[in-house]
Amino acid sequence: SKEMNRLHQVDRSNRYWRFIIGPWLYFFIGIFYDRFLSICGAIQSKKVTQTWIPPLNIERYVPKDFSTFREWYWGDRYNQYLYGRIIKASGEIPFEIKNQKDSGSEEILVSNTPSIGVGKRIIQRFLVSIGKLAPSRWNQIIFVSSYLHRKDLLRLQLALRQFPYLFSPNVTIKDVLPDLKMRKKLKLEGEANRFENLLNDILPQQIPKVYVEGFTDMRQKSVDSFPKSPRVIYTTNGFWGNDGFNFWAANQTEHGAKLVASQHGGCYGSAAWSTTETHEIRVCDRYFSWGWESKGQPKVTPFPSGQLSGLHPRMSSSPKGPILWVGVSVARYASQLVSVPMSRQMLDYLNEQQRFSQKVTPQVHKLLLRRLFPKDYEWDEKQRWMVMDPNLKIYNGDKTMYQQLNESRLYVGTYHSTTDLETLAGNYPTITYFNPDLNEFRDSAKP
C-alpha cells in the first residue's frame, strides 16, 4: 500500500489497495511459491543436469490485467517463464536459453473474453446506459454479480423502491507497454529468506499493467461507468477478474459506502483453507454465508442463498434414466491456495475414479454415464477412460448439468463441489464421495 501510494502520488488506505491489487497478489504469491518449491525439489533430487529456459524478456510477460493473468497461469509458456526466472536466480541448475517454438497459438499474449450474442450485447449496453442515467437516490443499493436469478433481482430492486440495475459495465483499458523505469521505483521490504528475495525481485515486474501504467485511466473509467454514490454495494464474485468493479468499489468504500459480499460456491466455510474466502471476508463489511459461521469472525452471517433458491422445481429425477457420474478436471499447474486437488493430484483423482468403476456391480456399471468436466486442461481424460474402462459410457457434449440431471435417476458427485449443494438444495437423489486427504475439511465443517 505504501509503495503504490508513493508511485501514484495518492493517499489511500490499506483496504483500498486490498480491493485493487489483493486478488492478484493472493494468486500470484501462491503460484510463484509452488513453482519455487518445484525447482527446489528438482535441485535436491540431483537428477537434473541440464535444462532449457526461454529468453527472460520482462516486457513480454507482464499481464495486462487480472483476467489476462488468469488466462496465462494455466499455460506452458507463462509457467516456463516463471520457472526460468527461478532457475536462473538459483544458479544450481545448468541451463541453455532457447527460443520457444510457436505452436500456432499466442495464448499468453491475447486476452479473450467469452462472447455473447450481438442482440444480448446491445440490450445489456442499453440497460447499463439507462442505469447510469438514473439519479443516485434511485440506486442506493447496487447489485454486481449477485448470482440472483434475473426475475428475483428485478423483484428485489422494485421492492427496495429503486430503479432496476440488472447489468453492470465491463470496464477495460487499452493495453500498453510496461514502463520498466516506473516499475523500478517500487521497492519492497521484508526480505527474510531465499524465496522472499526472489519474490521481492519479481513482484514489481509482474504486477499487471492496469495497476501501474493503466492505474489512472482505469480509476477514472470505473468511476465514470458505475453508479455515482451508492450507500451499499452487494456482490458475490465481483472481485475475481473484474478490475473495473474493484477500482469502483475501492473508491466508493473510501467515501463511506458499505460492501456486502455473499458466498458464491462450494468449499466456502468447509475447506480447510481458501485464500478467496479469506480475501472476500477481509475486504467486506458484512459477509453472507450459506448457513455456516466462522469463529471469531463477526462479519459472517448465515443467510439464504440466492444461487440455490428455486432449484427444486428445476430438478426432477427420471427413474428409467442413467446414473449421472460427474467428474472434475483441474489445471496441470497449481493455481490457487485452496484445499482441493490440484496439479498432479489429478492423476490420484483419476485412479480413484477407475477404482469406483471397477467396484460397482455389472448392473450399476451399465447405468453409469460419466460426465466429463467442460474443460479438459490437456489431461486427455476421454482417451484415458478408453484405456481404463473401454465399456464406460462417456459424455462431453453441450447439455447443461440441469438438462442431464432431469434425464437421470441419480447424481454421483466425486469432488468437494458446488454441484453437491445444488442437487441437495434441489432435493435430487444424491451420492457424493471424495478423498479427505485431497479435499481437506476444516474441523467446524466435519460434523
Side-chain angles (χ1 to χ4, degrees), residues 64-136:
K64 173 189 171 185
D65 49 25
F66 187 87
S67 293
T68 306
F69 167 72
R70 194 163 58 178
E71 291 172 12
W72 287 9
Y73 64 59
W74 309 121
D76 294 326
R77 288 190 174 193
Y78 181 65
N79 281 285
Q80 192 180 10
Y81 170 74
L82 296 181
Y83 284 127
R85 289 288 300 265
I86 298 166
I87 288 168
K88 184 177 180 181
S90 74
E92 297 186 54
I93 295 179
F95 64 86
E96 177 186 346
I97 294 178
K98 201 162 190 176
N99 280 310
Q100 294 163 310
K101 289 182 180 179
D102 284 332
S103 60
S105 162
E106 290 287 332
E107 73 275 11
I108 74 153
L109 299 179
V110 180
S111 173
N112 295 315
T113 54
S115 59
I116 60 174
V118 175
K120 284 187 177 181
R121 192 180 299 117
I122 292 171
I123 292 171
Q124 285 189 15
R125 286 178 179 172
F126 174 74
L127 291 174
V128 168
S129 300
I130 293 295
K132 284 170 61 177
L133 295 174
S136 295

Side-chain angles (χ1 to χ4, degrees), residues 398-416:
D398 296 327
K399 287 185 180 180
T400 66
M401 179 75 73
Y402 295 134
Q403 286 174 318
Q404 286 208 284
L405 285 170
N406 287 327
E407 297 170 357
S408 306
R409 67 177 71 190
L410 175 69
Y411 160 80
V412 178
T414 62
Y415 60 104
H416 186 189

Side-chain angles (χ1 to χ4, degrees), residues 370-405:
R370 177 74 176 185
R371 177 182 168 96
L372 300 184
F373 199 68
K375 193 173 179 69
D376 182 73
Y377 295 109
E378 299 185 36
W379 290 106
D380 295 326
E381 187 179 351
K382 188 174 182 179
Q383 286 74 17
R384 289 173 186 269
W385 276 114
M386 291 172 72
V387 175
M388 294 190 296
D389 189 346
N391 297 319
L392 180 68
K393 293 189 284 292
I394 297 288
Y395 181 82
N396 65 338
D398 296 327
K399 287 185 180 180
T400 66
M401 179 75 73
Y402 295 134
Q403 286 174 318
Q404 286 208 284
L405 285 170

Side-chain angles (χ1 to χ4, degrees), residues 325-328 349 353 370 411-416 432-434:
W325 184 30
V326 178
V328 71
Y349 167 83
Q353 306 313 299
R370 177 74 176 185
Y411 160 80
V412 178
T414 62
Y415 60 104
H416 186 189
T432 188
Y433 69 91
F434 37 77

